């Protein structure tokens, strides 16, 4: 049995995601597809537009065999934490043959070349990176210049503009982090990269293969009920039929950062006197910037725009604010990181004909597989259980705002299709 792993958000599931699954299965002659999917919060520092169970059901209906939740500390983390958390789960299952992902630059040799440099941080790279960060450049821009300097120093044949563009492409940045994480895990999972097709990552234009950002913008552009009613017409040809039906029948609200504005402002005011440096990614400078601008806060998204600078991009600020709001701390992240990125496999959805995956993970895996939440105390270590509890609390807040009818995840039946 050949099994491929995919790391995804499916926020929401569109034609590009279907293309990735189908092409990788065909190219690799794979029997099974395991997806590690972000839960109710995603890597850009925002709530997912619809809940994790609805997105997991879509994935199973459209080619996945097993969907596992990526815990909150990783799904809402930097590219490095997102990648290493997800890889820790796929590696821990012990039954994944290939990691498949799309990239704007599908040449895996180039991705490995960059991964090797940013992992080992040779002297030239490290010095130029440090100098450019001190000059106020954002981390992605500073990293691109440092990489360019290292390649020149190594006298490698390359096109500087190509590598600079490469490091500004979100999917490619994640791909590099996946390769770094695979190297650190030293597991026998082979990467398989396909050319990303369709609209650019941040494009809000729709097409046969759109960006998820474009779909979200369309869904959030009007009254929720009206959009749901017209979804078959608005999204026809953009999303698979199963995804359109999920959107049309979704009982909750389409979520966005501004739904958290009042709760965020309350939390920031409550802790203003002590600052926010205990939270993940929140430096002293960011904490002070939040405090000095708090009186001018007028909603979550506009506050992000107010706080951003040349070297602090919107997504970094949004992640920091979500970390504060959801009590995601630097101390806890250090414990998970020191534990080789604490992992467990919490099942969100399963294809009934693919239960052999659970048997394979049980026989070959090194992490617990959690099919029912009520078994958590029996199968999880204290650290794994804490990570699960923190993820469940974040989801409970999400569900309350989304009004999606989920009062407790412990009362939900496992999705088996």
């Amino acid at each position: 049995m050949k099994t491929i792993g995919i790391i995804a958000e499916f926020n929401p599931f569109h034609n590009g995601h279907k293309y990735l699954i189908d092409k990788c299965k065909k190219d690799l002659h794979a029997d099974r597809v395991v997806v590690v999917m972000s839960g109710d919060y995603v890597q850009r520092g925002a709530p997912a537009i619809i809940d994790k169970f609805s997105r997991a059901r879509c994935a199973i209906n459209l080619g996945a065999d097993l969907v596992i939740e990526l815990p909150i500390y990783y799904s809402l983390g930097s590219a490095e934490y997102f990648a290493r958390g997800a890889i820790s789960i796929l590696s821990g299952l012990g039954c994944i043959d290939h990691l498949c992902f799309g990239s704007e630059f599908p040449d895996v040799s180039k991705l490995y070349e960059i991964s090797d440099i940013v992992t080992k941080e040779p002297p030239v790279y490290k010095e130029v990176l440090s100098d450019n960060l001190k000059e106020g450049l954002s981390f992605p821009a500073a990293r691109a210049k440092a990489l360019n300097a290292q390649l020149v120093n190594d006298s490698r044949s390359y096109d500087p503009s190509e590598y600079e563009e490469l490091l500004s492409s979100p999917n490619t940045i994640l791909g590099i982090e996946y390769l770094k994480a695979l190297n650190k895990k030293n597991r026998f999972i082979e990467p398989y990269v396909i050319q990303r097709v369709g609209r650019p990552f941040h494009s809000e234009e729709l097409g046969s293969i759109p960006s998820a950002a474009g779909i979200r913008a369309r869904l959030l552009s009007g009254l929720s009920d009206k959009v749901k009613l017209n979804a078959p017409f608005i999204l026809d040809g953009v999303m698979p039929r199963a995804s359109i039906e999920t959107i049309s029948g979704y009982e909750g609200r389409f979520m966005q950062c501004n739904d958290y504005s009042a709760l965020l402002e309350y939390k920031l005011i409550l802790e203003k006197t002590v600052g926010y440096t205990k939270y993940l990614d929140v430096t002293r400078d960011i904490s002070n910037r939040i405090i000095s601008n708090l009186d001018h806060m007028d909603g979550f998204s506009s506050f992000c725009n107010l706080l951003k600078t040349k070297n602090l991009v919107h997504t970094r600020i949004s992640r920091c604010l979500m970390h504060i709001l959801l009590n995601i701390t630097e101390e806890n992240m250090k414990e998970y990181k020191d534990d080789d990125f604490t992992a467990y496999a919490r099942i969100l959805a399963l294809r009934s004909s693919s239960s052999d995956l659970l048997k394979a993970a049980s026989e070959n895996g090194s992490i617990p597989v959690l099919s029912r939440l009520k078994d958590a105390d029996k199968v999880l270590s204290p650290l794994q259980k804490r990570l699960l509890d923190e993820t469940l609390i974040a989801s409970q807040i999400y569900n309350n705002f989304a009004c999606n009818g989920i009062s407790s995840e412990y009362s939900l039946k496992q999705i088996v299709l």
Side-chain angles (χ1 to χ4, degrees):
M1 180 175 70
K2 181 176 286 188
T3 303
I4 62 175
I6 292 174
I7 302 167
E9 293 181 332
F10 296 155
N11 186 35
F13 195 108
H14 58 68
N15 287 345
H17 300 132
K18 177 66 173 165
Y19 173 79
L20 172 67
I21 290 175
D22 290 348
K23 181 167 177 56
C24 291
K25 283 179 73 172
K26 180 180 178 181
D27 289 356
L28 296 169
H29 306 287
D31 305 291
R32 298 286 184 262
V33 178
V34 175
V35 176
V36 175
M37 188 190 77
S38 297
D40 290 317
Y41 299 86
V42 295
Q43 202 260 331
R44 62 190 178 88
I49 193 164
I50 60 176
D51 70 66
K52 60 193 177 188
F53 297 106
S54 298
R55 287 161 32 241
R57 184 183 294 271
C58 267
I60 295 295
N61 280 326
L62 292 163
D65 294 280
L66 174 65
V67 180
I68 295 169
E69 180 178 16
L70 183 63
I72 186 69
Y73 270 71
Y74 312 138
S75 74
L76 199 53
S78 65
E80 178 186 4
Y81 292 164
F82 180 91
R84 293 194 64 182
I87 294 296
S88 71
I89 295 173
L90 289 175
S91 296
L93 290 173
C95 60
I96 306 299
D97 299 297
H98 292 275
L99 170 69
C100 299
F101 59 93
S103 171
E104 295 84 353
F105 294 83
D107 186 336
V108 72
S109 63
K110 286 185 178 180
L111 296 181
Y112 262 123
E113 183 180 18
I114 294 170
S115 172
D116 188 57
I117 291 174
V118 298
T119 300
K120 295 179 179 178
E121 293 192 332
V124 172
Y125 172 87
K126 194 170 185 176
E127 181 181 353
V128 175
L129 177 66
S130 177
D131 289 345
N132 279 281
L133 288 174
K134 288 177 182 176
E135 290 179 10
L137 267 67
S138 66
F139 183 79
R143 181 171 57 180
K145 288 184 177 295
L147 178 64
N148 180 62
Q150 187 63 51
L151 291 168
V152 169
N153 181 76
D154 295 346
S155 300
R156 303 189 198 189
S157 176
Y158 75 103
D159 178 355
S161 63
E162 182 182 20
Y163 278 87
E164 187 172 347
E165 184 182 355
L166 189 153
L167 281 176
S168 66
S169 305
N171 287 291
T172 300
I173 291 171
L174 276 176
I176 292 167
E177 293 297 339
Y178 295 154
L179 297 181
K180 284 172 57 181
L182 285 176
N183 284 337
K184 289 179 183 295
K185 278 292 182 183
N186 195 29
R187 299 289 180 132
F188 297 101
I189 298 178
E190 291 292 328
Y192 184 74
V193 190
I194 68 167
Q195 174 72 55
R196 187 183 185 275
V197 295
R199 298 291 184 183
F201 187 82
H202 294 296
S203 173
E204 294 192 359
E205 296 181 14
L206 298 184
S208 61
I209 299 184
S211 72
I215 297 174
R216 290 194 301 271
R218 183 63 60 92
L219 294 177
L220 294 168
S221 64
L223 294 175
S224 178
D225 290 340
K226 184 178 180 181
V227 171
K228 290 174 187 175
L229 183 64
N230 293 312
F233 307 100
I234 296 172
L235 301 173
D236 185 41
V238 173
M239 302 172 74
R241 180 56 50 183
S243 293
I244 294 175
E245 291 173 355
T246 297
I247 294 295
S248 299
Y250 187 60
E251 296 182 356
R253 298 171 52 209
F254 297 140
M255 294 293 288
Q256 56 185 316
C257 284
N258 282 337
D259 292 315
Y260 292 76
S261 296
L263 184 60
L264 174 65
E265 186 170 11
Y266 165 77
K267 185 77 184 297
L268 293 177
I269 292 172
L270 192 68
E271 301 184 6
K272 179 178 178 179
T273 56
V274 296
Y276 316 103
T277 55
K278 73 177 183 178
Y279 298 107
L280 182 63
D281 288 339
V282 183
T283 63
R284 174 62 62 187
D285 287 344
I286 293 175
S287 177
N288 290 340
R289 190 164 179 77
I290 292 171
I291 292 169
S292 62
N293 287 279
L294 187 52
D295 291 342
H296 304 290
M297 182 179 178
D298 183 27
F300 194 117
S301 294
S302 63
F303 197 47
C304 289
N305 289 329
L306 182 64
L307 295 176
K308 72 178 184 179
T309 64
K310 185 171 68 172
N311 64 331
L312 281 176
V313 297
H314 188 283
T315 52
R316 167 76 188 279
I317 293 295
S318 191
R319 278 198 299 269
C320 286
L321 295 179
M322 274 293 177
H323 290 164
I324 295 169
L325 192 152
L326 298 174
N327 278 339
I328 296 177
T329 67
E330 192 79 46
E331 180 180 359
N332 284 5
M333 184 69 239
K334 184 178 184 306
E335 288 189 64
Y336 301 138
K337 188 175 178 180
D338 290 346
D339 188 47
D340 200 16
F341 286 82
T342 298
Y344 56 85
R346 192 247 171 135
I347 299 174
L348 293 180
L350 171 71
R351 187 184 299 275
S352 59
S353 58
S354 305
S355 57
D356 51 356
L357 279 170
L358 303 186
K359 181 180 179 182
S362 175
E363 293 176 350
N364 305 312
S366 59
I367 60 173
V369 176
L370 185 61
S371 298
R372 302 181 303 177
L373 284 181
K374 67 179 184 180
D375 295 331
D377 287 326
K378 301 176 186 175
V379 303
L380 300 185
S381 71
L383 205 57
Q384 291 167 336
K385 180 60 164 54
R386 189 182 74 189
L387 180 56
L388 172 66
D389 287 341
E390 292 190 89
T391 302
L392 291 172
I393 289 170
S395 285
Q396 185 174 3
I397 294 170
Y398 176 98
N399 294 331
N400 287 344
F401 280 123
C403 302
N404 56 17
I406 301 175
S407 57
S408 169
E409 292 189 31
Y410 280 88
S411 63
L412 298 178
K413 292 182 179 179
Q414 187 183 73
I415 298 174
V416 179
L417 300 176

